[in-house]
Amino acid sequence: MKHSLLLFLLIATSLLTGSALAQDPHDYLTERYDQLHYSEKQAYYRELAPMSVGAVYLPRPGEGEQELRWHFRTMKELGFTSTKQLFPPNGMTFEEAALIALEEGIFPWWYGEAGWAPITPEVLKAAELPANMSIKEAREHPKMKAYQTEVLRKRILQRQELVKATGQHEPDPIPHPNTGGVGHKLPDEIKPVFLDWVRKQYGSIDSLNYAYNMHHVLLAPGGRPFTSWADFNERWEQIPNKEYRHLRDIFRFKADMRLKWTQENKIDRHNAFDPVPPYRAGGEMGMFLPFSWRGVDMEGIAELMTPNGSFYPSIHLAWHFDEVQHEITRPVYMQAALTHDYFKGGWSATWESTGGPQQFSGGKGGNGFTVDEGIITQLMLTYLAAGYKGFGLWSWSMRTAGWEAGEYALLDRHNKVTEKAIRAGAIGKAAQNYRDEIWQGHKEPFVGVYTDWENEAYWAAMSIQGRDIFKQLPIDARTGVSRALINHNVPYEYVTPSDLRDGLAGRYRAIYLPFVIAIDPEIIGILTEYVENGGRVVIDMPSAWYDENGALLYSDKGTPFEKLFGVTINDYQYAGINMDYRLEGQPLQGFTLDMTPTSAEVVEHYHTGDPAITENKLGKGTAVILGFQASMDCFKPGQTAAEERLIRHTLADYQPFYRCEGAIVYRMASPEADHYFLLNDGEAKQVELAFDYKYRNATDAITGESLKLGAPIELERYSGRWLRFEK
């Protein structure tokens, strides 16, 4: 009893003094997180901590060696370490330009030090360094740098030999299979491949008939299930598009064909030429597009990067933000975080980010952007906050004619260094300085935002019958809940079904499921165990409509859904068309739920008295139903009441351990220091950052300025600051 009282007093004292250990005892499962995409190379990168700061060099007519050397020297002086891509001046080969880059101290490839020969005892000996020298120490040693520069020089010469022998800089690419592009149509030439894929998926015709809902009314072609694989091959195209599982399979087949092409075209060809440097994939795909509809599995592409790669998206303001009405500050974090979170434990980065303003280019045009030193600061700090480890900016210099002429660049129209180029380089220097802490850092998310390719596939299948909007709805709902969390400075992370199957549910205090129209009963089981162990699940509407095959998900008493949420679903309704629904005095629009509580408590009622929000206590945790489209209500900016309602019912009694009015704040926790990234999406101001952690001191990571703990923090207009708080 005496020891218990002493422990209580110690904990209480720690709470009052702001001890991080006492205030946040939650286990974020970081070891399990780091193992999710483990490989020897990924572990090596974590120790090497590469932090390439690159930009694309585009030559102007008339530029030659002298100008090229000026560009490289200027890049290095500002803080850049590499070229993201290198287009040689006229009359010069890539290899000649790359050798000049090496001479000027610039890596000619995006991956920087990750392209070195791995620092092993053998390489240390070859570099005439002690065999037991740490990687961290060795990477900075002049002898190692000289040795590795020679490694890269030989790689360039190897490319020269390939060009001489074949006339090509690399082997011919493997053509992408013609799967019919976006949507559910398949060209005739690929249909036999699809049929073979289907047979491998299901094994028996009975399994296929069950998955394809052939025993349900009005779905089997001709009113009869398939009798054999020969019968299926003959009649499968007669399955109506009102049956969703076979449409899901077409989307899945297209995604699998793309994964196969990525493996063969990028990874296998890359390794055949030189297996040492990392490869990268991801590319020109905005995160606000419906992946399933487009036959793309970004999480699957990330998985392919595990052996020796880096996963990335392109982030261009004029290309990738149509679906969020070209809003930048918050959606950039959503885009970066989603790709990073698809590759938990692996190396993700922005290997193609905008470098300057865009006015006339982009997917549709007509949307101009300001990109000055403040916006560059926002972009680069957001990338670090999301978990990226490296930069590749398009571009250093600009195209000089035609398409994109005068756009995207860090330099101005006359090749003069700009304030945004100086700022980008300064952030790059800071990232280099704190590269180990960045690589050792982890998010500590309160909320896991559930995102599922399968769910999006069923929304896409539903969209085919002339209802195009459906395929976009789950993405917009994910955007809405993300916006609410960002605006309230609630740390969050995107979590996928594979993450849950790999045991990561306990990392989050709450898991939010937005617009999950189709959910696998296996996931319901995982979430039930998570709640029983103390977690909180929050689901909004319309969700839990279908199971993994696109058949109705039953929720009557005794079903897994009813056990988890403590309600039965009677029907789905809709607010704002022919009948009003109000909650807390505010009108609702869109999907609503008609439900009957069994074990759940009704937390909020509609103005009619019907249940609107329920909470079911199960074991040590709770499961919450928001019986309306809570996430979608937050999709557009300025929905303050809807955001506050979502946050209140998601967090319950939990409160984030840092607070700041007037700025967006992201935190990355490292063993030696915590890094805070403050974004100001408005005019210059002062803000106060309060937290329940105890720190030794604080500095501006970019300028080195010391800050007084607890003092107001100055933020420049439409920009941000990176602050390092030493533990």
Side-chain angles (χ1 to χ4, degrees), residues 263 266-279 307-308:
Q263 176 71 46
K266 292 183 178 292
I267 301 171
D268 295 348
R269 288 171 64 248
H270 171 100
N271 289 338
F273 179 70
D274 187 349
V276 173
Y279 38 77
N308 182 28

Side-chain angles (χ1 to χ4, degrees), residues 32 320 564:
R32 182 170 297 177
H320 302 129
L564 174 57

Side-chain angles (χ1 to χ4, degrees), residues 693-722:
Y693 304 100
K694 189 175 182 179
Y695 296 113
R696 185 187 308 272
N697 56 54
T699 56
D700 185 303
I702 299 171
T703 67
E705 173 191 356
S706 294
L707 304 175
K708 182 180 179 181
L709 292 172
I713 298 168
E714 299 280 349
L715 296 179
E716 69 178 357
R717 68 187 300 271
Y718 295 96
S719 186
R721 287 188 80 173
W722 172 7

Side-chain angles (χ1 to χ4, degrees), residues 209-331:
N209 278 326
Y210 180 82
Y212 278 20
N213 300 298
M214 294 294 98
H215 52 297
H216 290 269
V217 66
L218 297 178
L219 293 181
R224 55 189 175 87
F226 300 106
T227 58
S228 65
W229 285 113
D231 182 32
F232 175 74
N233 292 349
E234 181 71 23
R235 294 195 296 131
W236 75 274
E237 291 184 87
Q238 299 173 28
I239 302 173
N241 287 339
K242 296 173 184 177
E243 197 290 311
Y244 294 153
R245 176 69 190 197
H246 86 287
L247 296 173
R248 173 268 179 204
D249 274 5
I250 293 174
F251 300 142
R252 184 68 257 173
F253 168 72
K254 291 186 177 188
D256 284 355
M257 292 294 285
R258 180 176 289 273
L259 293 176
K260 182 175 183 291
W261 174 81
T262 300
Q263 176 71 46
E264 295 173 351
N265 183 59
K266 292 183 178 292
I267 301 171
D268 295 348
R269 288 171 64 248
H270 171 100
N271 289 338
F273 179 70
D274 187 349
V276 173
Y279 38 77
R280 60 186 170 93
E284 297 281 358
M285 177 69 70
M287 297 299 109
F288 302 101
L289 292 169
F291 296 149
S292 302
W293 174 256
R294 302 175 72 86
V296 175
D297 179 2
M298 293 296 275
E299 186 181 17
I301 294 173
E303 177 68 33
L304 295 181
M305 298 301 102
T306 301
N308 182 28
S310 181
F311 182 59
Y312 80 107
S314 293
I315 299 182
H316 288 306
L317 310 185
W319 280 101
H320 302 129
F321 296 92
D322 282 358
E323 296 76 24
V324 288
Q325 289 72 57
H326 300 281
E327 182 191 357
I328 299 304
T329 305
R330 292 157 185 81

